[in-house]
Amino acid sequence: MKNLLEQANSLSILLLLLSSIIYYFHLRKEKRRRKLTLFEMTMYIVTMVAYSLFAITTFILFLDRM
């Protein structure tokens, strides 16, 4: 049961990551076409920060396992 829950958690993280990547690219495309609204600009910045934090923490955890 624990293994199934861990797999479901990993799948949800993967789906959230993929959907946020798609949304980020959508916002980047819209930014080229027109000025983003305040909410869109906020989401654009939040997703950039989230990607950076995810990459940094994943890298630190990887180094910690070595």
Side-chain angles (χ1 to χ4, degrees):
M1 184 67 168
K2 182 181 177 186
N3 190 23
L4 179 66
L5 291 174
E6 288 174 350
Q7 288 179 353
N9 185 34
S10 296
L11 180 62
S12 67
I13 290 171
L14 178 66
L15 290 174
L16 284 170
L17 186 63
L18 287 174
S19 64
S20 64
I21 288 171
I22 292 168
Y23 187 60
Y24 172 77
F25 283 121
H26 169 74
L27 287 174
R28 196 169 79 175
K29 186 172 89 174
E30 287 298 315
K31 187 177 179 185
R32 290 183 192 147
R33 290 178 40 198
R34 62 173 172 84
K35 186 176 178 181
L36 296 178
T37 64
L38 180 60
F39 176 74
E40 290 172 333
M41 184 56 77
T42 303
M43 290 304 297
Y44 184 74
I45 293 169
V46 166
T47 54
M48 284 193 313
V49 170
Y51 291 143
S52 301
L53 285 175
F54 179 74
I56 291 167
T57 56
T58 303
F59 182 69
I60 290 172
L61 288 173
F62 175 75
L63 290 178
D64 187 44
R65 291 180 191 156
M66 294 177 95

